Amino acid sequence: MRAAVLHEIGQDKLEVLDDVEAVGFGPGKVRIRIRATGLCHSDLSAMNGVLPQPAPFIPGHEGAGEVVDVGDGVTGLKAGDRVLVCWLPACGACPSCRRGQTHLCLAGFMNAGTPNFKRPGGDVFGFAGTGTFTEEVVVGAGCAVPIPDDVPFEIAALIGCGVTTGLGAAINTAQVEAGSSVAVIGCGGVGISAVQGARVQGAAQIVAVDPVASRREAALRFGATEAVSPDEFADARQRITAGEGFDYVFEVVGKSATARTAYENTRRGGTLCIVGAGALDDHFQVNMFELFFDEKRILPSMYGGGDVLRSYGRAVELWRAGRIDLESMITHRVRLDGINDALDQMRTGTSLRTCVEL
């Protein structure tokens, strides 16, 4: 089958090959025909080494498609079912799952080090144990989450990661209060979802911060009350909060420099929510006095900070009700052969989400 493969970490181009085979099918597994997959910045981070990932590998973790076959012991799924790919499935039995923090379950990561593809030249890994830049993928049954018939594959793919992450950061993790002031630093697909989450929660002021003009314009369409460049952020803080700082600031870039900016623009007693996935060697620093004196809450948000199945369902209901706009987040559509151009568009910030249709 066809798939887009990165041969070595640090390369910026994928090679589209037709000699890839999905492996590992058996008890407890399902085979999925991928119909649509989104490009997430985490894919770029894995390609350039910011996120740990063995190579060669097939990027992609934000996908949806149809079940082709189910292995022995799989219940609740059958061939022909429409599903989205959950890259972080919960086992239901570990301490995190028993506490209700299923998004912290490590079961999915345990499979990330096992190749789930092969070529004539050897094994190939799938990013985050999935690898959706391909026509078919074999994953554990917990990774295949049924979707309603009225949800298009491209919308389901977005819900599989970016939308769930951004919405959940505002709703689950930060629990934005109605009438509050919010700033979102970084307005790609996840940042736009955080903007929409803050709007759903009833925030009075939502300031989008991004260096790319097209992303700032998009943020306004999705519910931001103002959109500024990083150089204009201090002025916005002064005008909107009289210099005090915002009630909630979301960092959706994944860098210590922007996290520090977010911290400094959070009011005393306010909430800094870290949503961006950063590098192991990039350290965010606060001194012990300001940590104590300012009493700012620092809340990391992993995959939206809540039960992912519940979050998926909530996103579908909000979309059906017209409370969030998911169709407009897909600014580019390409076939698999156009994936490198789509990656370049993501690097330059000229796309919110690109949907690869397979």
Side-chain angles (χ1 to χ4, degrees), residues 18-305:
D18 60 6
D19 60 357
V20 179
E21 179 183 352
V23 299
F25 182 73
K29 298 294 185 71
V30 297
R31 186 186 301 274
I32 301 172
R33 172 68 169 93
I34 298 295
R35 295 298 183 184
T37 183
L39 272 64
C40 180
H41 201 275
S42 295
D43 299 312
L44 290 179
S45 295
M47 290 171 63
N48 62 30
V50 169
L51 297 180
Q53 170 64 46
F57 78 98
I58 295 171
H61 60 290
E62 196 179 74
E66 299 162 332
V67 174
V68 176
D69 200 2
V70 300
D72 292 341
V74 174
T75 60
L77 292 168
K78 65 182 185 303
D81 283 352
R82 304 170 76 256
V83 296
L84 65 78
V85 176
C86 173
W87 60 270
L88 193 60
C91 71
C94 70
S96 292
C97 286
R98 291 199 300 269
R99 285 191 293 263
Q101 295 176 306
T102 57
H103 63 293
L104 298 181
C105 177
L106 294 175
F109 285 115
M110 301 305 178
N111 298 321
T114 302
N116 49 345
F117 301 94
K118 70 176 182 180
R119 298 183 57 226
D123 292 332
V124 179
F125 296 89
F127 178 43
T130 58
T132 56
F133 293 179
T134 181
E135 292 177 327
E136 286 190 2
V137 64
V138 172
V139 293
C143 295
V145 179
I147 56 175
D149 290 342
D150 65 329
V151 180
F153 287 125
E154 60 268 26
I155 297 300
L158 294 185
I159 292 173
C161 185
V163 168
T164 293
T165 299
L167 281 181
I171 299 172
N172 297 327
T173 306
Q175 297 180 8
V176 171
E177 292 187 359
S180 61
S181 62
V182 171
V184 177
I185 302 177
C187 295
V190 177
I192 289 295
S193 296
V195 167
Q196 297 202 73
R199 184 188 64 182
V200 165
Q201 290 289 96
Q205 299 289 336
I206 305 172
V207 177
V209 185
D210 199 284
V212 180
S214 61
R215 286 186 171 182
R216 297 196 298 271
E217 294 167 2
L220 293 171
R221 297 195 300 271
F222 285 96
T225 56
E226 187 169 343
V228 299
S229 70
D231 292 341
E232 299 168 322
F233 191 21
D235 177 66
R237 168 186 171 172
Q238 183 63 41
R239 287 186 290 100
I240 294 170
T241 73
E244 182 185 21
F246 294 86
D247 296 320
Y248 303 88
V249 181
F250 294 86
E251 196 279 349
V252 202
V253 179
K255 293 184 179 296
S256 61
T258 46
R260 183 66 209 187
T261 297
Y263 182 89
E264 292 170 353
N265 284 279
T266 303
R267 67 165 173 81
R268 295 186 67 213
T271 298
L272 163 60
C273 188
I274 303 293
V275 189
L280 289 168
D281 59 354
D282 188 10
H283 300 282
F284 169 59
Q285 294 184 329
V286 294
N287 66 60
M288 291 303 294
F289 178 77
E290 65 184 346
L291 187 63
F292 163 77
F293 186 71
D294 290 336
E295 204 179 271
K296 299 178 183 181
R297 297 190 305 159
I298 303 174
L299 301 178
S301 186
M302 173 76 170
Y303 205 2

